[in-house]
Amino acid sequence: MSVMKMTEGNNDTESPITVEDVQRLVKKKDEIEEQIKAYFDVLEDQGMDMKGPLVDVEGYPRSDVDLYQVRTARHNISCLQNDHKAIMVEIEEALHLLHAREKSKRERDEAEALTESEPRDAALPRAFARVDTVTQGSPASQSGLHVGDEIIEFGSVNGGNFQNLQNIATVVQHSEGKPLNIVVVRGGQRVHLSLTPQRWSGRGLLGCNVVPLQR
């Protein structure tokens, strides 16, 4: 099995190597190792190794060993050891390609996630106040206002003209019984609400407390 190289200079080209390919290479390596062991067992049965002489002291072929089996085993071991070295290189290269591809994919996913979040965050105007408390049953509560909401619009007040909380108080006093358009940031999302300042069983016309944000 040949390992295909990733094209240099082209980050969009992904290696065709898969985890299954690596598993097949490892299986083939294991089979080669088993064959090598089997041939070494043949040599051991003959009382030989890879280097022992095949002739006696007088230069005649040894009669105490099966010369054909020994020669065949030695030859096959040499060939298989070369195959083993080659497949180890293939496995190493395949693993390198897999890791490089996973790293590239992870970096691409992170970049895409960052790109997707940037327009949403950039599109949100600057918040100038935060809802500190909301009393149950109050106009603020009925409008859907939540504690922690960051206000970017309160009627005619926005981040560009907000100076202090008196700006909001003035809008509320002049809007009793009239719905106000409120825009807040909640969980990174823009939320539109309609709040009508009015008399209720509690204090004030809203039933909530707002604190300015220090930017």
Side-chain angles (χ1 to χ4, degrees), residues 129-143:
R130 184 180 70 250
V131 178
D132 191 38
T133 59
V134 177
T135 303
Q136 188 68 28
S138 66
S141 175
Q142 293 175 359
S143 74

Side-chain angles (χ1 to χ4, degrees), residues 134-153:
V134 177
T135 303
Q136 188 68 28
S138 66
S141 175
Q142 293 175 359
S143 74
L145 206 61
H146 291 177
V147 172
D149 284 349
E150 294 191 349
I151 302 172
I152 56 180
E153 287 184 31

Side-chain angles (χ1 to χ4, degrees), residues 60-71:
Y60 292 102
R62 290 178 55 174
S63 59
D64 59 330
V65 297
D66 188 323
L67 298 180
Y68 175 78
Q69 277 195 352
V70 172
R71 289 195 182 100

Side-chain angles (χ1 to χ4, degrees), residues 75-142:
H75 172 76
N76 289 338
I77 288 173
S78 295
C79 293
L80 288 168
Q81 285 177 335
N82 289 333
D83 291 343
H84 188 267
K85 290 179 182 178
I87 202 165
M88 289 300 294
V89 171
E90 288 192 46
I91 291 172
E92 181 179 357
E93 184 176 358
L95 289 172
H96 173 74
L97 291 176
L98 276 179
H99 292 160
R101 186 174 62 186
E102 287 302 315
K103 180 181 178 182
S104 175
K105 181 179 182 299
R106 183 170 63 252
E107 291 175 348
R108 187 167 61 249
D109 290 344
E110 290 173 355
E112 289 176 355
L114 182 61
T115 301
E116 290 174 358
S117 66
E118 284 176 348
R120 183 187 71 180
D121 295 340
L124 293 175
R126 180 174 63 89
F128 57 85
R130 184 180 70 250
V131 178
D132 191 38
T133 59
V134 177
T135 303
Q136 188 68 28
S138 66
S141 175
Q142 293 175 359

Side-chain angles (χ1 to χ4, degrees), residues 121 124-134 144-155 157-159 162 165 168 181-193 208-215:
D121 295 340
L124 293 175
R126 180 174 63 89
F128 57 85
R130 184 180 70 250
V131 178
D132 191 38
T133 59
V134 177
L145 206 61
H146 291 177
V147 172
D149 284 349
E150 294 191 349
I151 302 172
I152 56 180
E153 287 184 31
F154 194 101
V157 181
N158 55 50
F162 175 79
L165 293 179
I168 294 178
N181 180 49
I182 311 297
V183 183
V184 302
V185 177
R186 181 184 300 163
Q189 299 285 345
R190 186 196 301 254
V191 179
H192 292 263
L193 304 170
C208 68
N209 187 54
V210 174
V211 294
L213 285 177
Q214 300 297 329
R215 297 296 186 184

Side-chain angles (χ1 to χ4, degrees), residues 31 48 88 200:
E31 291 173 351
M48 299 291 290
M88 289 300 294
W200 61 295

